[in-house]
Amino acid sequence: MQTCRLAVFVSGNGSNCENIIRHFQGRDDIQVSLVVSSSPEAYALTHAARCGVETLVADRQMLNDPAFPLQLKSVYGINFIVLAGFLQRIPDGMVQAFHRRMINLHPALLPKYGGKGMYGHHVHEAVKANQETETGMTVHWVSREVDGGEIIAQHRTPLSTDDTADDIARKEHELEMKFFPQDIEKIIRGIDEFTTR
């Protein structure tokens, strides 16, 4: 298997990013080669640098530059992108350049609680408000529609009526920590159980 060089896109503290870096550290087949952040203050950049992973701050202008996908491929050798809490909209040119080579993690069971404005705590508050009996995480291909790409994997956790939005967030985050790096690896390896629907 040719080495798969990952870029992890983040906007915040990057606990998922850190978890992904640790999962693939020291591997030859799959490597986290670049961490891209929409914010220069994101703690994920600090952790990535400590782990010897190259970092890049991509503001909206850079992200929308038609040359940016080519830069990722030619300068950094990136051939797969993981969005792990990245809050900027991915431009159509990047979606096309990394077709079936870019996945997103969403903190709910899509197609519920997806789309514009549905990120972070907004999602968990909506789950609570609607008195859902379960929540979960979704991994999906990135498409031109926000949170609209084909679903690859979902993991679920039950909820109780006593759970607060913070409790829901914690339960969902535990799923991310447990399953997301494994999902990334299985997707890259093309395991049959992750064929898209």
Side-chain angles (χ1 to χ4, degrees):
M1 175 182 174
Q2 181 186 1
T3 301
C4 183
R5 292 174 59 86
L6 301 179
V8 181
F9 282 45
V10 298
S11 291
N13 288 333
S15 56
N16 268 303
C17 180
E18 180 179 344
N19 197 33
I20 294 163
I21 290 171
R22 284 180 177 167
H23 183 82
F24 293 110
Q25 220 158 19
R27 297 268 295 269
D28 293 326
D29 53 346
I30 304 171
Q31 299 173 347
V32 179
S33 302
L34 181 67
V35 170
V36 178
S37 174
S38 59
S39 167
E41 272 82 51
Y43 176 72
L45 296 172
T46 302
H47 181 77
R50 284 179 185 156
C51 293
V53 176
E54 206 160 351
T55 62
L56 179 67
V57 176
D59 60 18
R60 193 182 299 267
Q61 183 178 350
M62 182 186 290
L63 197 64
N64 285 284
D65 185 337
F68 186 53
L70 182 61
Q71 179 188 1
L72 290 174
K73 291 179 178 183
S74 61
V75 176
Y76 298 99
I78 300 304
N79 46 26
F80 200 93
I81 294 175
V82 175
L83 305 183
F86 190 68
L87 301 182
Q88 298 284 345
R89 187 182 183 281
I90 299 297
D92 292 349
M94 272 198 68
V95 173
Q96 186 174 351
F98 285 92
H99 177 68
R100 296 248 177 213
R101 287 280 177 177
M102 181 165 26
I103 60 173
N104 181 50
L105 168 66
H106 186 74
L109 295 170
L110 292 175
K112 288 184 173 183
Y113 309 110
K116 190 174 180 180
M118 282 288 105
Y119 62 90
H121 219 66
H122 300 290
V123 174
H124 308 305
E125 287 168 356
V127 168
K128 174 64 179 175
N130 287 309
Q131 301 178 333
E132 297 284 358
T133 58
E134 66 174 0
T135 192
M137 57 171 276
T138 300
V139 181
H140 65 92
W141 295 114
V142 175
S143 69
R144 293 181 178 186
E145 181 187 351
V146 176
D147 297 328
E150 290 179 76
I151 293 170
I152 308 167
Q154 290 187 316
H155 304 282
R156 301 166 185 268
T157 186
L159 300 176
S160 77
T161 54
D162 296 331
D163 283 334
T164 64
D166 287 341
D167 294 329
I168 294 168
R170 178 184 49 76
K171 288 183 174 183
E172 189 276 328
H173 190 65
E174 286 171 358
L175 292 177
E176 295 177 0
M177 293 295 101
K178 181 177 180 181
F179 291 110
F180 195 32
Q182 298 173 32
D183 288 348
I184 294 167
E185 183 161 353
K186 288 174 182 176
I187 291 163
I188 290 170
R189 292 186 175 283
I191 289 178
D192 288 342
E193 68 183 277
F194 284 87
T195 52
T196 55
R197 297 192 277 240

